[in-house]
């Protein structure tokens, strides 16, 4: 079994990731700004300031991980000063990925759809074409999205410098089974009064995101699935409104790109690269997730 170090281990995605790999019998080292109140079989927790390179490198070298999953970040530009968001996310990503590369670990880390300039834009955002894929230009206005653009450049540099595999997972809004967030948003939705949606009501179930993480680091395989660095979108197949996507965008935004190839309730994000490189496809939908009985990690 592999040793897998997970940063942001007390966060939503991080804690579910720790549980997943620990359940599979891997040895997990969870790193966050604090240790959790509980314990977990097959998991050891460390507290660290990931913006401190020496501290980060020391923990990663001591763990000697086969894979590093970097999920720690300030997750939006609205709850902190923009300069803090950018500095924290960029410096911590550099420190974790550089130390992981130096240790020869396979790396997957949480990039974001926000790097396209979508979610936190202060003006209406529509791309030149739908669907959006990895070749769509990245045009962030906010410090969070910009930190993800820089983070992907860090990932590419680490892959070159240390000859390791680095996968930047461009995730959408992460949802959790049994939560009411998508139901609340859908039931309160009215195209006539709805606010503009930077991601056109896209999401990804946490279980599918973890499946993408596992596919990216392939802890049970002798070789990683990707050489060097690649960025891949990981998004659910459909929007969470249960409405046809293109007409809904047009109703709310007042326009559509001239090049718009979306059918039914398809997501505006094209995840075919993830299928091609990682063999990943989303398998969970809000339709079953909202009523699912799935307890979160018990160690929190």
């Amino acid at each position: 079994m592999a040793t897998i170090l997970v940063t942001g281990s007390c966060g939503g995605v991080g804690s579910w990731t720790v549980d997943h790999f620990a359940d599979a019998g891997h040895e997990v080292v969870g790193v966050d700004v604090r240790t959790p109140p509980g314990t977990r079989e097959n998991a050891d927790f460390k507290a660290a300031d990931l913006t401190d390179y020496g501290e980060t490198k020391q923990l990663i070298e001591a763990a000697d991980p086969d894979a590093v999953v970097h999920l720690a970040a300030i997750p939006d530009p609205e709850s902190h000063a923009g300069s803090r968001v950018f500095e924290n996310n960029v410096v911590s990503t550099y420190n974790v990925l550089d130390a992981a590369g130096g240790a020869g670990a396979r790396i997957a880390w949480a990039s974001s759809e926000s790097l396209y300039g979508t979610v936190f834009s202060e003006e209406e955002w529509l791309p030149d074409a739908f669907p959006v894929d990895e070749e769509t230009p990245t045009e962030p206005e906010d410090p969070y999205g910009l930190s993800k653009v820089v983070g992907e450049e860090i990932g590419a540099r680490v892959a070159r410098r240390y000859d390791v595999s680095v996968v930047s997972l461009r995730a959408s809004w992460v949802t959790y089974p049994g939560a009411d967030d998508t139901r609340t948003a859908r039931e309160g939705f009215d195209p006539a009064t709805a606010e503009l949606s930077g991601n056109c009501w896209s999401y990804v179930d946490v279980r599918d995101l973890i499946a993408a993480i596992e596919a990216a680091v392939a802890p049970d395989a002798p070789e990683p699935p990707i050489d060097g660095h690649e960025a891949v979108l990981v998004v659910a197949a459909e929007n969470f409104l249960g409405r046809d996507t293109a007409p809904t965008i047009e109703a709310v935004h007042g326009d559509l790109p001239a090049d718009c190839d979306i059918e039914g309730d398809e997501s505006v994000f094209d995840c075919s690269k993830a299928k091609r490189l990682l063999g990943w496809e989303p398998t969970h939908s809000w339709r079953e997730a909202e009523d699912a009985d799935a307890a979160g990690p018990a160690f929190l």
Side-chain angles (χ1 to χ4, degrees):
M1 290 296 178
T3 298
I4 302 172
L5 186 142
V6 179
T7 73
S9 55
C10 290
V13 179
S15 60
W16 280 70
T17 302
V18 168
D19 255 7
H20 173 81
F21 284 122
D23 278 342
H26 298 291
E27 291 300 320
V28 181
V29 178
V31 181
D32 212 313
V33 292
R34 60 179 175 85
T35 56
T39 60
R40 176 63 165 89
E41 185 180 5
N42 296 336
D44 185 25
F45 296 98
K46 305 290 184 181
D49 176 5
L50 296 176
T51 64
D52 183 308
Y53 182 77
E55 193 173 336
T56 304
K57 186 175 178 65
Q58 182 178 358
L59 279 178
I60 290 177
E61 286 183 344
D64 190 23
D66 300 289
V68 170
V69 180
H70 178 45
L71 303 172
I74 296 176
D76 64 70
E78 298 175 336
S79 55
H80 298 80
S83 57
R84 182 180 178 191
V85 173
F86 180 79
E87 181 178 16
N88 177 86
N89 291 359
V90 169
V91 173
S92 62
T93 298
Y94 176 84
N95 291 348
V96 172
L97 269 58
D98 186 75
R106 304 174 188 183
I107 300 168
W109 78 284
S111 185
S112 171
E113 63 184 11
S114 298
L115 51 63
Y116 293 111
T118 56
V119 179
F120 302 108
S121 174
E122 293 185 357
E123 298 181 0
E124 180 173 351
W125 177 88
L126 284 176
D128 293 333
F130 279 137
V132 171
D133 62 18
E134 291 81 2
E135 300 304 314
T136 301
T138 58
E139 300 175 330
E141 300 175 1
D142 67 276
Y144 176 74
L146 182 60
S147 76
K148 297 303 183 179
V149 173
V150 177
E152 291 195 2
E153 288 299 319
I154 293 169
R157 173 261 174 190
V158 166
R160 291 191 298 267
R161 173 67 177 83
Y162 297 107
D163 192 26
V164 294
S165 174
V166 182
V167 182
S168 298
L169 297 169
R170 295 182 180 178
S172 189
W173 175 43
V174 182
T175 60
Y176 297 83
D180 287 329
D181 294 345
T182 52
R183 190 197 318 272
T184 300
R186 184 178 64 260
E187 291 178 351
F189 181 80
D190 180 349
T193 58
E195 295 183 358
L196 302 178
S197 172
N199 70 357
C200 301
W201 310 282
S202 295
Y203 71 101
V204 63
D205 188 289
V206 67
R207 295 165 294 182
D208 283 332
L209 178 52
I210 291 170
I213 291 169
E214 184 167 30
V217 299
D220 296 318
E223 298 293 334
I226 288 175
D227 291 327
H229 170 260
E230 294 286 352
V232 295
L233 280 160
V234 284
V235 183
E238 74 291 307
N239 69 59
F240 60 77
L241 293 178
R243 295 169 175 259
D244 287 352
T245 305
T248 305
I249 294 171
E250 188 169 24
V252 175
H253 289 256
D255 199 5
L256 280 172
D259 183 359
C260 182
D261 184 16
I262 304 172
E263 296 183 358
D265 65 351
E266 283 182 337
S267 168
V268 297
F269 294 100
D270 177 0
C271 295
S272 58
K273 184 178 179 181
K275 180 179 180 180
R276 185 173 74 252
L277 296 184
L278 302 177
W280 178 89
E281 290 184 279
T283 61
H284 296 283
S285 168
W286 61 267
R287 290 178 171 84
E288 51 84 17
E290 288 179 351
D291 296 319
D293 183 13
F299 61 82
L300 293 179

